[in-house]
Amino acid sequence: MLELKEVTKVYRVGAFGSRGLLAVDRVSLDVPAGTIVSLVGESGSGKTTIGKMVLRLIRPTSGRILFEGRDVNLMGKRKLKHYYRKVQGVFQDPFSSYNPIFKADRIFWMIRRSFFPKVPPRDWEQHVVEALKEVGLNPKEVLNKFPHQLSGGQLQRFLIARVFLLDVKLLVADEIVSMLDASTRVEVLDILLKLRERGGGVLFITHDLSLGYYLSDRIVIMYQGAVMEYGPPEEVFGNPVHPYTAFLLEAVPTLERKWKGGIPNIAGTAADIKDRDICRYAARCPHYNESRCRDPVLEEVRPGHWAACWRR
Ligand SMILES: Nc1ncnc2c1ncn2[C@@H]1O[C@H](COP(=O)(O)OP(=O)(O)O)[C@@H](O)[C@H]1O
Ligand SMILES: [Mg+2]
């Protein structure tokens, strides 16, 4: 359904854009219908940049993004509008998605105006009520309120309710539960599972390894813009090949091991484009080998399980 082919994003930074920051480096992945694919990595690894490119909020520097076989970046206005009927995004901070001076349910009226102007208001209201029930909200409690009168979890569910109003096939969910408390978290994540049951796809972006494990059919481990390893979560976590994956797993709490503080948040900087030929992880890798760590490529180490490291 969604395919990324060698997608690269270089941000120009420094005086007159003198430096090229390699935020995403030749990333290829796909999200088939009815699957949840998690992008996991520390902050600064390029996850949000990928999400934004999929939503066409920014354009890739090179590479192609295909949705149902069509290149997202070649879509004209009409095709793009159709695209947004099928592809939507939800982000970390639900409050920032709303204009505080308008009632929160205005987003539903905006959807009607853009996509379903011919649906009579009465019928539309009924659709909204049904969509809210799908995301576990009581319409009486949440309609006609201003954003500040709703909780983060309620607002986040409002945003996800769009999925049930539009014909959404793919949801880009970027750290959508980071700001929610534990019980609301589970409720919001359950909606994603529901979407998957209906045959929808989710690109689930998180820095939380255990969330990725719990939810996804496939997990993509990213470091400094590049894919280090990917495959089914049981495989990738059960038999990690890349030292970075192993390192991340070390940081996850288990019943036997005490919480060591989650994924350490080491300086969120992307690689400079001139350092492209060497493994991103080289500087931190205990197994660094000068000749073998040049320009690693993803290889299938076991069926469906890929890693960009010479070690096995
Ligand atoms: N608009 C921008 N201009 C310049 N650099 C950016 C911009 N957006 C993100 N970056 C940089 O790109 C890298 C990847 O960022 P991001 O995609 O937000 O990572 P993540 O979501 O994994 O934390 C970071 O080094 C970040 O500082
Ligand atoms: Mg991010």
Side-chain angles (χ1 to χ4, degrees):
M1 183 172 52
L2 176 78
E3 288 169 274
L4 271 67
K5 293 188 186 296
E6 299 272 311
V7 172
T8 295
K9 178 70 185 181
V10 177
Y11 290 114
R12 303 309 313 187
V13 293
F16 310 108
S18 51
R19 268 183 63 226
L21 203 71
L22 195 52
V24 174
D25 188 13
R26 292 164 289 179
V27 168
S28 297
L29 58 88
D30 61 335
V31 184
T35 62
I36 300 181
V37 175
S38 290
L39 281 186
V40 178
E42 291 161 285
S43 109
S45 53
K47 307 180 300 293
T48 294
T49 300
I50 291 181
K52 283 183 179 166
M53 288 191 285
V54 170
L55 293 166
R56 221 184 94 165
L57 301 172
I58 54 173
R59 305 251 190 178
T61 308
S62 64
R64 303 208 303 152
I65 299 176
L66 307 175
F67 181 75
E68 293 175 340
R70 290 224 169 86
D71 192 321
V72 172
N73 286 291
L74 298 180
M75 290 178 182
K77 232 178 162 180
R78 278 186 54 188
K79 289 250 167 63
L80 193 62
K81 189 167 172 182
H82 193 67
Y83 181 64
Y84 288 134
R85 262 180 91 147
K86 296 183 168 184
V87 179
Q88 286 279 323
V90 180
F91 301 93
Q92 173 167 13
D93 177 8
F95 290 93
S96 69
S97 301
Y98 292 91
N99 187 329
I101 66 170
F102 294 115
K103 294 205 169 127
D105 40 33
R106 179 167 176 265
I107 59 162
F108 301 131
W109 293 100
M110 286 163 71
I111 290 174
R112 175 174 170 269
R113 200 174 61 199
S114 319
F115 297 104
F116 310 100
K118 296 201 182 98
V119 176
R122 272 276 161 79
D123 296 351
W124 185 251
E125 267 165 42
Q126 196 48 43
H127 288 315
V128 169
V129 163
E130 277 153 28
L132 290 174
K133 286 182 183 158
E134 290 279 6
V135 296
L137 288 174
N138 177 352
K140 284 205 187 88
E141 248 173 55
V142 294
L143 287 174
N144 237 345
K145 297 257 170 80
F146 287 97
H148 72 268
Q149 294 173 306
L150 299 170
S151 72
Q154 285 172 327
L155 284 175
Q156 208 62 309
R157 277 184 276 184
F158 248 62
L159 292 168
I160 303 175
R162 286 177 306 173
V163 167
F164 299 98
L165 278 173
L166 294 158
D167 184 22
V168 169
K169 299 267 190 307
L170 176 76
L171 182 72
V172 176
D174 189 351
E175 310 276 7
I176 58 169
V177 296
S178 332
M179 291 177 65
L180 307 180
D181 59 63
S183 60
T184 320
R185 232 171 220 226
V186 176
E187 286 166 17
V188 168
L189 296 175
D190 280 344
I191 308 171
L192 302 185
L193 297 175
K194 198 174 195 175
L195 179 64
R196 172 173 70 178
E197 249 165 55
R198 297 173 156 220
V202 180
L203 185 61
F204 184 74
I205 298 176
T206 182
H207 62 276
D208 186 327
L209 219 57
S210 25
L211 273 185
Y213 183 77
Y214 163 71
L215 268 186
S216 46
D217 301 291
R218 205 178 300 167
I219 195 147
V220 181
I221 309 281
M222 296 205 41
Y223 184 71
Q224 290 197 355
V227 174
M228 299 286 118
E229 185 158 3
Y230 78 86
E234 307 78 35
E235 246 303 299
V236 170
F237 292 162
N239 305 300
V241 168
H242 204 286
Y244 181 56
T245 312
F247 166 79
L248 289 179
L249 283 168
E250 275 288 298
V252 171
T254 63
L255 285 178
E256 312 87 68
R257 206 167 47 217
K258 272 204 175 156
W259 176 246
K260 288 193 208 153
I263 298 182
N265 205 346
I266 298 173
T269 46
D272 196 288
I273 194 154
K274 67 177 168 39
D275 302 325
R276 190 180 216 178
D277 299 338
I278 192 120
C279 176
R280 288 304 113 67
Y281 193 55
R284 282 165 66 182
C285 188
H287 308 284
Y288 173 61
N289 175 305
E290 197 180 338
S291 59
R292 304 189 84 166
C293 297
R294 298 225 153 253
D295 217 4
V297 284
L298 281 162
E299 282 172 25
E300 195 166 20
V301 288
R302 272 178 286 276
H305 179 179
W306 297 68
C309 183
W310 54 270
R311 292 178 73 251
R312 293 287 179 275

